[in-house]
Amino acid sequence: MAAWSCLVTGAGGFLGQKIVHLLAEEMELQEIRVMDIAFKPELLEEFSKLQSKVKVTVLEGNILDIQCVRQACQGTSAVIHTASIVDFNEKREDVIMNVNVKGTQHLLEACVQSNVPIFIYTSSLEVAGPNSYKEVVQNGHEEERRETIWTDPYPSSKKIAEKVVLAASGWTLKNGGTLYTCALRPMYIYGERSQYLLSDIKRALNNNGILDSFRQFSIVNPVYVGNVAWAHILALRALRDPKKAPNIQGQFYYISDDTPYQSYSDLNYNLSKEFGFSISAGISCPLFLLYWLAFLLEMASFLLSPIYRFHPPFTRHIVTLTNSVFTFSYEKASRDLGYKPLFSWEESRQKTMEWIGSLIKEHKTLKRKMH
C-alpha cells in the first residue's frame, strides 16, 4: 500500500484529539494534518509526542477561509471533518450556520480542486431528532430515515451539512477521480475532556456535590469518545478499500456502543457517585409544564427581538432533546464498517472517572489557595 496522508479538521476538539491519536497508529500513514482555529499549548505538546510515529503538521486556520482550506487539502489523501460549532444557547446563529454549513461546502470544493478522494463527516444524532418527548424511539436504525423538525441553528445546520456531504458522494475530482463520502451520527458523546460533563461537574462542585436532575426523563444510549473516534478510523479504512467503498459511499451510520441505556442525569451520577456526588432530590416539574414554559420564553424572546436580544435559558428543543426516549443501534456500522466498540463500558467509565477525579483535585487545590 502506498504512503498516504489525512487532514483532521477540529483536531483541537474533544473528539478530534482522540481521532488524531488513533490515526497515528494506522499503517503506511505518512502525515496527519491537524487543523483548528487555535490549539492549546498542552495539546500541541501532546501532538509533538506523536511525531515519533507519524509527521504531524499543525495548521491554525478558519474553515471559512477558502485559501486556507485549499492549502490544507493540497496533496492530502483523505479528510475527516469534525469541526463544527455546538451552541445550545443559540447565541451565535449566523456563526453556527456559516461554520457548520459553509465551512463544510468549502472543504468539499477544496477536495475536488485538490483531488482528495475520501471525505468523512462527523454528523450528529440531532439530525434525526428527537422531535417530541412523547415519541418513544428504541433501537432506531438508518432505514427509518428520521429527520429533525427543529429550526434551531445547531440541528438544522448539521442536517443541511450532512445532506450536502452525502450528495457530494460520486462527484468527479479535477483529475477525473471520484469523491467518496460518508457521515457518522454519534449518540451523546461522553468521556474525559467532554465540555458538557465538565460544566455539569463544575456546577455540582459548587453545589455541595449535587448534580442537576433536569434531564432525568430521558433514556439514551451515550457513547464513549474513544469508540466514536474508532468508528471514524474504520470508516476511513473502508473508504480506502476499493471493494468496500462503493457500498459505503453516500451512507450515514449511527454510532453507539455498549454503554447501558440510561438518562443523562443517571449517566452523570454513574460517572461521579464514587466521589460522593448525588442527584438533586428536588420536586421535578412535569414535562408538559416545562415544555409550555419554554414556549412562553421563546415567545417573549420573539416579541422583544426588535428592541432587546433575550436568550431563553431553555427552549422546547432543549426540553425535548434532554427528556426523550431516543436510542439507536450500531448494527449497520457493524455490518458495513466492521465496527465493534474498542472500549468496554467498564473501561470507558474508568477512564472518565479518573478524569473527573482530577477535576475534583483541581477544585480542592483552588479552594485551598483562595482560603
Side-chain angles (χ1 to χ4, degrees), residues 286-318:
L287 256 182
F288 74 92
L289 271 182
L290 209 54
Y291 188 84
W292 286 107
L293 179 58
F295 173 69
L296 293 173
L297 288 167
E298 286 174 57
M299 284 304 293
S301 172
F302 174 72
L303 294 170
L304 288 169
S305 60
I307 49 163
Y308 176 70
R309 276 177 74 86
F310 164 62
H311 293 288
F314 57 93
T315 62
R316 285 170 298 161
H317 165 231
I318 297 296

Side-chain angles (χ1 to χ4, degrees), residues 18 20 33 59 64 72 99 103 120 123 127 141 161 170 224-225 232 299 305 308 314 344 348 351-352 359 365:
K18 284 280 185 195
V20 171
R33 294 183 191 178
L59 306 166
L64 292 174
V99 170
I120 294 157
S123 188
V127 168
H141 52 83
Y224 177 62
V225 62
H232 282 75
M299 284 304 293
S305 60
Y308 176 70
F314 57 93
S344 67
S348 307
K351 284 174 182 288
T352 311
L359 293 178
T365 307

Side-chain angles (χ1 to χ4, degrees), residues 191-334:
E192 56 279 23
R193 296 183 181 171
S194 157
Q195 288 304 302
Y196 299 117
L197 199 47
L198 177 66
S199 59
D200 287 344
I201 295 296
K202 277 187 173 174
R203 258 201 313 278
L205 283 169
N206 293 321
N207 189 29
N208 302 317
I210 298 167
L211 296 154
D212 293 347
S213 60
F214 178 59
R215 298 163 293 184
Q216 65 191 30
F217 298 107
S218 54
I219 295 177
V220 288
N221 51 334
V223 60
Y224 177 62
V225 62
N227 288 326
V228 180
W230 179 233
H232 282 75
I233 303 298
L234 293 174
L236 179 60
R237 286 182 189 174
L239 286 179
R240 292 188 70 237
D241 183 334
K243 286 179 188 164
K244 288 182 181 175
N247 301 323
I248 291 153
Q249 63 150 332
Q251 299 287 319
F252 71 87
Y253 297 91
Y254 289 117
I255 306 299
S256 54
D257 60 17
D258 300 329
T259 299
Y261 289 17
Q262 57 200 302
S263 71
Y264 292 112
S265 295
D266 284 343
L267 174 70
N268 284 352
Y269 174 65
N270 284 325
L271 294 171
S272 62
K273 62 183 175 187
E274 286 191 22
F275 303 106
F277 283 61
S278 60
I279 296 178
S280 164
I283 300 160
S284 54
C285 178
L287 256 182
F288 74 92
L289 271 182
L290 209 54
Y291 188 84
W292 286 107
L293 179 58
F295 173 69
L296 293 173
L297 288 167
E298 286 174 57
M299 284 304 293
S301 172
F302 174 72
L303 294 170
L304 288 169
S305 60
I307 49 163
Y308 176 70
R309 276 177 74 86
F310 164 62
H311 293 288
F314 57 93
T315 62
R316 285 170 298 161
H317 165 231
I318 297 296
V319 171
T320 303
L321 179 68
T322 55
N323 291 287
S324 292
V325 177
F326 207 58
T327 66
F328 287 81
S329 159
Y330 63 78
E331 203 178 303
K332 185 184 175 188
S334 181

Side-chain angles (χ1 to χ4, degrees), residues 104-215:
T104 303
Q105 287 169 327
H106 289 342
L107 268 168
L108 286 165
E109 284 156 17
C111 284
V112 171
Q113 294 301 315
S114 305
N115 303 311
V116 182
I118 293 165
F119 190 100
I120 294 157
Y121 177 63
T122 309
S123 188
S124 165
L125 176 64
E126 282 205 61
V127 168
N131 292 330
S132 165
Y133 65 83
K134 293 173 186 171
E135 186 189 11
V136 172
V137 177
Q138 286 177 303
N139 284 321
H141 52 83
E142 291 78 356
E143 282 66 42
E144 289 167 340
R145 296 280 159 187
R146 295 183 174 278
E147 198 171 280
T148 184
I149 57 166
W150 301 108
T151 55
D152 302 57
Y154 182 70
S156 60
S157 67
K158 293 301 277 187
K159 178 172 83 171
I160 295 163
E162 188 195 89
K163 282 184 174 172
V164 168
V165 169
L166 299 183
S169 208
W171 278 5
T172 304
L173 305 176
K174 210 173 176 184
N175 64 0
T178 304
L179 177 65
Y180 285 144
T181 72
C182 79
L184 305 182
R185 291 183 185 175
M187 306 298 108
Y188 167 75
I189 309 174
Y190 71 93
E192 56 279 23
R193 296 183 181 171
S194 157
Q195 288 304 302
Y196 299 117
L197 199 47
L198 177 66
S199 59
D200 287 344
I201 295 296
K202 277 187 173 174
R203 258 201 313 278
L205 283 169
N206 293 321
N207 189 29
N208 302 317
I210 298 167
L211 296 154
D212 293 347
S213 60
F214 178 59
R215 298 163 293 184

